[in-house]
Amino acid sequence: MIRQKAIEMVVKQGLDGFGVNRLAKAAGVSPATIYIYYKDKEDLIFQLGTDISKRMLADSLQDFDPDASFAEGLKKQWLNRMQFYLKHPLEVQFIEQIRYSNYYEEIQAELSKGFREVMGKFVHNAIERKELIPLPFEVYWSVAYAPMYQLIKFHNQGKTFTGRKFSLNDKTILQTLQLVLKALKP
Amino acid sequence: MIRQKAIEMVVKQGLDGFGVNRLAKAAGVSPATIYIYYKDKEDLIFQLGTDISKRMLADSLQDFDPDASFAEGLKKQWLNRMQFYLKHPLEVQFIEQIRYSNYYEEIQAELSKGFREVMGKFVHNAIERKELIPLPFEVYWSVAYAPMYQLIKFHNQGKTFTGRKFSLNDKTILQTLQLVLKALKP
DNA sequence: TTTAAATGAGCGAACGCTCACTTACCTTTG
DNA sequence: CAAAGGTAAGTGAGCGTTCGCTCATTTAAA
């Protein structure tokens, strides 16, 4: 209950609107109870953040084969991430909220341990097979994944900054993916 | 002084670390002085946000010709934005901080008024000349600009999530831009 | 003498957090 | 097999501090 309400509060009211006393009231427990499970407020957010991030990462690599073709592998990753969003929209928005806060740096450090290997192998394979242009990691990441996250962001806020309503669907995802694949193919 | 210190505080300590009393002390004025110029805390952040965003938008369209070729036009926009970052890194980071807070929605509403026309014409021209694939606005935006913002984000945090150090340079920018142009060309 | 700008003390409310205490359930005992 | 004791979980009042914000007053320029 504490977990769930904490996520809801951060998503709905932002990090500043989130407080321990208020969380206690929302979860129907005493403030003291929260401190049985979490060292302090920072620890609470850190634990929620790492737990969710780990599950996001694990899910995004589900049924992912580092030896698959680049187009197939990237598509699998995109769809996995999208599916995670559909199943856990609040968790994704929670991560979005804390991603730009000062809490996130440690969370990322906690995550990146097992991450590099899997992704490194996949990219290395793709380059060797001439399915992917050799690129600095940052360039590759910016082109391969940033568009997808932008789509999720549009979807989350329900509209674009021009005021247009927006809701994500398979056709839009795959259309964007095709453009990205075209950009990255030699 | 209030403006400058407010920006510094939000960038360095995040939105939660930012408070009126602390800002007053940092700026060397009384808390009451702040309320002469700003209605309340929300108004302060809103005014800073809109001011900066407006200057960012204006600068990104500097010397921009909606009738230029798509490749040239997009390059101009990218470079303008990059240049704004180099000149005003704190302001950009400030916007990043509040972009995911609950303050930003109104700011965006304030901005999007004059924005749609200029951009609309540019994109329309490019499609007519067959320099750009016709796309839903969200797909276009996600592919055309999200990679650039991701590069800025990497630069801002000084490293990627794999721990690698990263600093933005012209070669990286133009390399990424080339990939994006390739994706969007018919 | 007027007026706008700035001040510092301090308000009530909310903050993160603690502690002495109760509750509920399990184990050990005579 | 009830009584006693132990343990982990949870409580509510409330602490010291900081929050956003105000107001009677002072300062300085017009």
Side-chain angles (χ1 to χ4, degrees):
Chain A
M1 203 58 175
I2 294 173
R3 271 186 59 99
Q4 187 191 321
K5 288 291 177 187
I7 292 172
E8 281 179 25
M9 285 180 69
V10 169
V11 168
K12 282 181 189 156
Q13 314 174 41
L15 263 178
D16 7 355
F18 169 78
V20 179
N21 289 353
R22 256 187 279 181
L23 169 60
K25 186 164 281 182
V29 298
S30 162
T33 306
I34 293 172
Y35 287 90
I36 297 174
Y37 299 97
Y38 302 98
K39 191 171 140 270
D40 52 26
K41 187 189 175 187
E42 190 179 331
D43 180 53
L44 193 161
I45 293 174
F46 176 76
Q47 281 198 36
L48 287 183
T50 43
D51 280 5
I52 294 173
S53 297
K54 276 180 183 170
R55 272 190 286 120
M56 281 181 67
L57 187 58
D59 271 38
S60 82
L61 295 179
Q62 206 174 32
D63 299 326
F64 170 74
D65 176 13
D67 295 317
S69 80
F70 180 67
E72 263 181 59
L74 195 63
K75 181 177 177 183
K76 189 83 204 166
Q77 285 180 47
W78 273 50
L79 293 179
N80 276 343
R81 277 167 211 261
M82 293 289 175
Q83 202 177 14
F84 188 90
Y85 165 76
L86 290 176
K87 273 193 288 187
H88 313 287
L90 280 181
E91 276 86 345
V92 174
Q93 286 176 273
F94 177 86
I95 295 295
E96 283 254 312
Q97 281 286 337
I98 66 167
R99 173 162 254 146
Y100 300 87
S101 78
N102 296 359
Y103 294 106
Y104 200 65
E105 201 162 340
E106 317 174 59
I107 293 178
Q108 250 176 4
E110 189 74 13
L111 277 182
S112 63
K113 291 169 184 171
F115 172 73
R116 202 164 185 173
E117 309 161 29
V118 185
M119 205 59 95
K121 188 182 179 191
F122 172 61
V123 171
H124 189 72
N125 279 346
I127 293 174
E128 275 211 333
R129 295 198 204 116
K130 305 209 187 281
E131 299 171 339
L132 169 63
I133 306 173
L135 293 168
F137 171 78
E138 296 80 11
V139 176
Y140 165 69
W141 185 271
S142 298
V143 175
Y145 301 103
M148 182 199 66
Y149 285 115
Q150 181 63 57
L151 285 180
I152 292 179
K153 216 176 298 170
F154 281 145
H155 181 100
N156 271 342
Q157 42 191 62
K159 57 186 175 191
T160 62
F161 26 77
T162 62
R164 221 162 83 105
K165 281 182 189 173
F166 179 67
S167 184
L168 201 48
N169 57 54
D170 277 10
K171 190 186 154 199
T172 305
I173 296 167
L174 293 176
Q175 185 178 27
T176 311
L177 176 62
Q178 287 315 311
L179 297 176
V180 167
L181 286 171
K182 182 173 147 198
L184 294 171
K185 203 178 292 180
Chain B
M1 203 58 175
I2 294 173
R3 271 186 58 99
Q4 188 191 320
K5 287 293 176 187
I7 293 172
E8 282 178 25
M9 283 180 69
V10 169
V11 168
K12 283 180 188 157
Q13 312 174 43
L15 263 178
D16 6 351
F18 169 79
V20 179
N21 290 352
R22 257 186 278 183
L23 170 60
K25 186 163 279 183
V29 299
S30 162
T33 307
I34 293 173
Y35 287 89
I36 296 173
Y37 299 98
Y38 303 97
K39 188 171 143 273
D40 53 26
K41 187 190 176 187
E42 189 178 331
D43 180 54
L44 193 161
I45 293 174
F46 177 74
Q47 281 198 37
L48 287 183
T50 44
D51 281 5
I52 294 173
S53 296
K54 276 181 182 170
R55 274 191 284 119
M56 280 181 70
L57 187 57
D59 271 37
S60 81
L61 294 178
Q62 207 176 31
D63 300 327
F64 170 73
D65 177 11
D67 295 317
S69 79
F70 179 69
E72 265 182 56
L74 196 63
K75 182 176 176 182
K76 189 83 203 167
Q77 286 180 46
W78 273 49
L79 293 178
N80 276 343
R81 277 168 211 260
M82 293 289 175
Q83 202 176 16
F84 187 91
Y85 166 77
L86 290 175
K87 273 195 287 187
H88 312 286
L90 280 180
E91 277 87 346
V92 175
Q93 288 177 272
F94 177 86
I95 296 294
E96 283 254 313
Q97 281 285 338
I98 65 167
R99 174 162 254 145
Y100 300 87
S101 78
N102 297 357
Y103 295 106
Y104 199 64
E105 201 164 337
E106 318 175 58
I107 294 178
Q108 250 177 2
E110 188 75 14
L111 277 181
S112 63
K113 291 168 185 170
F115 171 73
R116 202 164 184 173
E117 310 160 28
V118 184
M119 206 57 94
K121 188 182 177 188
F122 171 61
V123 171
H124 189 72
N125 278 346
I127 293 174
E128 274 213 333
R129 294 197 204 117
K130 305 208 187 281
E131 298 171 339
L132 170 62
I133 305 172
L135 292 168
F137 170 78
E138 296 81 11
V139 176
Y140 165 69
W141 185 272
S142 298
V143 175
Y145 302 104
M148 182 199 66
Y149 286 115
Q150 181 64 57
L151 284 179
I152 292 179
K153 215 175 299 169
F154 281 145
H155 182 102
N156 272 342
Q157 42 191 61
K159 57 186 172 191
T160 62
F161 28 75
T162 62
R164 222 162 84 105
K165 283 184 188 172
F166 179 67
S167 185
L168 201 48
N169 58 54
D170 277 9
K171 190 187 156 201
T172 305
I173 296 166
L174 293 177
Q175 185 179 26
T176 311
L177 177 61
Q178 288 315 311
L179 297 176
V180 166
L181 286 172
K182 182 173 146 200
L184 293 171
K185 201 178 294 178

